[in-house]
Amino acid sequence: VAILKMAVVCVSVISKENFPLYLRTVSTYIENDMGFHHIVHTAIDVIEEKISSVGTGRAGTDFREHYLGPLYPSEQYKIYGYATNTRTKFIIITENTTSQSRDTEINQFFKKLHQAYADMFCNPFYTPDTEITSKRFDRSVTDIFKDSESKLSKNEHHGNKN
């Protein structure tokens, strides 16, 4: 029986100047924290390339689709990107499997992350482009981890019925 894995293992927020504001991994992956930093920095280059290629195709740098999809292949992980109109970037890393990527679910996780970021950004005590230390934002990321695990277990449950 093949086990379908799609759990989110890392979430990162990158400033418009391309330095990390937030990086969090699932506790079981904490020992590989530096590895995730490397993956995130590589993903920044890919996101910048995608954003600039969209900007050159149309007038200005306005891009309507925030979700950038899978960024590049990795042996262990799938790396997805999302960029806001202000060029803040979000990166979600999931476990890599042979299963089809679930773009709709990943896009929903990015939208939740974007909303949590916007809520945190509106806090008058947050200084823009500084490290994110908000407990509320952190809880939103925890919810994304849990949601991805619950979707994973639902997919496994439905897969076992077939």
Side-chain angles (χ1 to χ4, degrees):
V1 174
I3 296 175
L4 172 67
K5 289 186 177 181
M6 190 60 181
V8 173
V9 296
C10 181
V11 171
S12 184
V13 178
I14 309 299
S15 73
K16 62 185 169 190
E17 288 86 17
N18 292 333
F19 59 87
L21 302 175
Y22 182 89
L23 187 137
R24 180 156 166 229
T25 59
V26 175
S27 60
T28 55
Y29 286 85
I30 204 78
E31 74 281 350
N32 193 21
D33 206 34
M34 289 309 293
F36 285 118
H37 277 278
H38 175 73
I39 291 170
V40 165
H41 280 282
T42 304
I44 291 170
D45 294 336
V46 177
I47 290 173
E48 281 299 314
E49 190 176 302
K50 283 189 176 210
I51 290 173
S52 64
S53 69
V54 169
T56 57
R58 294 187 221 148
T61 58
D62 181 35
F63 55 95
R64 301 272 181 226
E65 184 61 41
H66 296 291
Y67 178 59
L68 302 172
L71 299 177
Y72 67 93
S74 166
E75 198 171 301
Q76 291 181 290
Y77 306 107
K78 288 186 180 179
I79 300 95
Y80 299 89
Y82 182 98
T84 68
N85 288 335
T86 60
R87 291 191 177 258
T88 299
K89 298 145 201 85
F90 303 131
I91 297 167
I92 289 179
I93 302 171
T94 66
E95 294 173 318
N96 192 5
T97 63
T98 57
S99 68
Q100 196 88 19
S101 68
R102 305 217 187 293
D103 279 349
T104 307
E105 290 173 13
I106 296 295
N107 196 7
Q108 288 303 314
F109 294 146
F110 276 123
K111 287 179 180 180
K112 289 177 186 177
L113 188 61
H114 191 173
Q115 185 60 53
Y117 178 78
D119 292 346
M120 185 267 323
F121 196 86
C122 290
N123 182 338
F125 298 107
Y126 175 69
T127 305
D129 293 328
T130 60
E131 182 181 1
I132 297 171
T133 58
S134 164
K135 290 180 177 153
R136 187 173 181 189
F137 183 82
D138 210 43
R139 280 192 301 271
S140 295
V141 171
T142 299
D143 289 345
I144 289 171
F145 288 146
K146 287 179 181 176
D147 285 352
S148 75
E149 289 173 4
S150 71
K151 288 185 187 313
L152 169 66
S153 61
K154 282 181 187 173
N155 288 336
E156 286 175 350
H157 182 69
H158 290 301
N160 289 340
K161 279 186 170 180
N162 292 336

